[in-house]
Amino acid sequence: VIIGGGIIGVATAFWLSRAGMKTILVEMRDGLSTLTTTASIESFRAQFTEPAMATLAMESIQVWENFAQVTGLDGYEIDLHHGGYLFLTTDEATVDDVRTTVDGYHKVGVADSEFLTGVEVLKRWPWLSPEVRAAAFRAKDGWFSAHEVTQGFARAAEQAMFYLRTRATGIETDAQGVSAVITDRGRINTRVVVNAAGPFAIEVGRWLGLELPIYQMRRQRVFVAPHPKIPTDAPLVMDVDNESYWRPETGGALLGWHDPEEQKSDPLEDPQGDWDFPAMTLEKVARLSPFWMDVVEDLKQEDLSVYAGQYVHSPDDQPLLGPVAEIPGFYLNCAYWPGVMLSAAAGRWTCDMITGRMDPASNPLRLSRFEEGLTTSPGALMRGRHD
């Protein structure tokens, strides 16, 4: 039984179904991937310095690039774009940090990430600010439709059942470990439970007396309607200095900003965006992409939409994956701030540990890593975290 119907839970259901296991996914909402997944900017990148994160990212990208073949859905499209991820700075003091970060990418196998000088950046994207001093760029990063991915995984999970509008309320155990999941529609007997509940993962853990070392933060995104001055061939542009970002989307754009004033929050079933967030974010992204000032002059209120979801962070900003030794049959697949982009491989790792194909002791993202002193210092640019 998988608790949680976001892209993480559905990907897990796909791999378990593919492995021949009878699988039930329970989701409290009316549809799959309608909470945090749908509020993401639906992007993917391999540019991580942490070995486990880079591995999950690169394995997932292989799935995105071959989705129809992997799922067996002939001709299925996920609106994949290799637009690239571009991290920029105008701060001379940050240039060495960007160079060191690119070196870190190379060390974990992301060999095609490039360090670019400001001059090199402007040659490729002349519409950027001449104040840019350095960048990290990987052309094969990009974005896709998280909705199509989720629905594709669900459609291809032939052995799985998806129970919508079904709220898990507890987990029962006996001398052997997990024995059942209790829902508002009844009891489901099972010896394996996967906690893929996103921002509600901490509550699911508490049903078993487990206090997961995670917290949630609201994150917002803005959709801007199509405008002729938005470059449709632009990469995903990240301003490392003020933590804003944007990318093209169907003639318009998706924008976001990691607001340093945002506070840790309780799990939210219906997070709301702030009315002034679009204006603040447009001002931020215009710093390095000045054409946005021209776009703003033409915008009307109906041209802007704001959505909100929640990032989930662990102490080392990496997910929690695998079995919990003290509770036989209880598995974690949670604690993501980049869940959409890592979901394919994370679901496969979880399946492989459940089916015995992967030794949990070789899993670097196990919960016990904190007690074992095996954590990796966070090194990714723009993690969305403010301590």
Side-chain angles (χ1 to χ4, degrees):
V1 175
I2 300 167
I3 300 175
I7 193 170
I8 293 288
V10 178
T12 306
F14 164 74
W15 292 112
L16 287 169
S17 173
R18 177 63 60 87
M21 298 194 71
K22 181 180 179 181
T23 304
I24 294 174
L25 182 148
V26 294
E27 167 55 46
M28 64 184 178
R29 296 169 67 86
D30 293 341
L32 299 173
S33 70
T34 58
L35 184 59
T36 295
T37 302
T38 193
S40 78
I41 60 166
E42 304 174 283
S43 61
F44 61 87
R45 56 162 154 149
Q47 294 181 98
F48 289 95
T49 59
E50 302 91 337
M53 298 283 272
T55 299
L56 284 173
M58 289 187 286
E59 288 185 10
S60 292
I61 290 171
Q62 287 293 312
V63 174
W64 311 142
E65 292 176 339
N66 301 280
F67 194 80
Q69 293 82 1
V70 170
T71 58
L73 301 176
D74 187 40
Y76 193 86
E77 294 290 340
I78 62 171
D79 197 25
L80 183 72
H81 294 271
H82 286 296
Y85 249 76
L86 180 67
F87 296 90
L88 300 168
T89 183
T90 62
D91 184 357
E92 199 66 48
T94 306
V95 171
D96 285 344
D97 291 338
V98 175
R99 192 190 303 273
T100 299
T101 301
V102 172
D103 290 341
Y105 298 153
H106 295 168
K107 289 176 182 176
V108 297
V110 188
D112 53 352
S113 176
E114 304 175 70
F115 173 82
L116 302 176
T117 66
V119 171
E120 290 170 327
V121 167
L122 292 173
K123 283 183 179 179
R124 299 195 195 187
W125 303 281
W127 41 264
L128 286 168
S129 167
E131 300 299 315
V132 171
R133 292 291 173 265
F137 178 64
R138 182 176 184 268
K140 291 185 179 180
D141 292 340
W143 50 89
F144 53 69
S145 168
H147 172 79
E148 295 300 337
V149 166
T150 303
Q151 296 301 318
F153 274 141
R155 182 175 161 187
E158 297 178 356
Q159 302 298 318
M161 292 180 286
F162 298 87
Y163 293 169
L164 304 179
R165 296 181 292 279
T166 304
R167 182 183 295 269
T169 58
I171 299 172
E172 291 186 353
T173 61
D174 60 18
Q176 298 178 54
V178 166
S179 60
V181 171
I182 308 304
T183 79
D184 58 0
R185 294 188 176 213
R187 170 193 176 101
I188 307 172
N189 294 324
T190 181
R191 286 297 178 187
V192 176
V193 174
V194 179
N195 181 359
F200 293 89
I202 193 167
E203 292 191 358
V204 173
R206 286 170 179 165
W207 297 342
L208 295 168
L210 183 65
E211 195 66 31
L212 295 174
I214 60 178
Y215 66 87
Q216 302 74 234
M217 295 184 74
R218 184 184 62 154
R219 288 299 174 206
Q220 304 178 67
R221 78 164 190 181
V222 180
F223 174 70
V224 178
H227 189 284
K229 291 191 176 181
I230 299 174
T232 58
D233 59 349
L236 196 157
V237 178
M238 295 259 186
D239 185 334
V240 173
D241 303 325
N242 69 18
E243 297 208 330
S244 66
Y245 49 92
W246 72 274
R247 71 162 176 84
E249 173 68 13
T250 60
L254 290 175
L255 294 74
W257 171 46
H258 294 159
D259 182 355
E261 300 301 319
E262 192 71 52
Q263 300 297 309
K264 298 176 183 178
S265 59
D266 293 331
L268 301 173
E269 292 194 26
D270 189 24
Q272 297 294 311
D274 297 329
W275 68 271
D276 58 348
F277 187 78
M280 297 171 69
T281 304
L282 283 162
E283 180 181 1
K284 297 290 184 182
V285 298
R287 191 182 85 91
L288 295 186
S289 304
F291 71 83
W292 278 110
M293 299 308 297
D294 296 327
V295 175
V296 166
E297 292 181 2
D298 299 330
L299 290 180
K300 302 178 179 63
Q301 185 173 352
E302 57 266 28
D303 294 329
L304 299 169
S305 303
V306 62
Y307 307 85
Q310 287 184 294
Y311 277 12
V312 184
H313 293 277
S314 70
D316 62 0
D317 274 351
Q318 298 183 91
L320 304 180
L321 277 178
V324 177
E326 301 83 0
I327 310 168
F330 187 57
Y331 289 77
L332 303 175
N333 191 0
C334 58
Y336 290 91
W337 57 271
V340 166
M341 67 179 75
L342 304 182
S343 57
R348 181 161 52 194
W349 283 24
T350 303
C351 171
D352 287 350
M353 282 184 273
I354 291 171
T355 59
R357 296 175 184 170
M358 180 178 183
D359 181 0
S362 68
N363 164 33
L365 298 176
R366 57 190 180 272
L367 176 61
S368 61
R369 70 182 184 266
F370 302 108
E371 296 177 0
E372 297 173 43
L374 299 177
T375 58
T376 304
S377 298
L381 296 169
M382 294 187 62
R383 296 172 290 118
R385 174 182 181 142
H386 296 284
D387 295 314

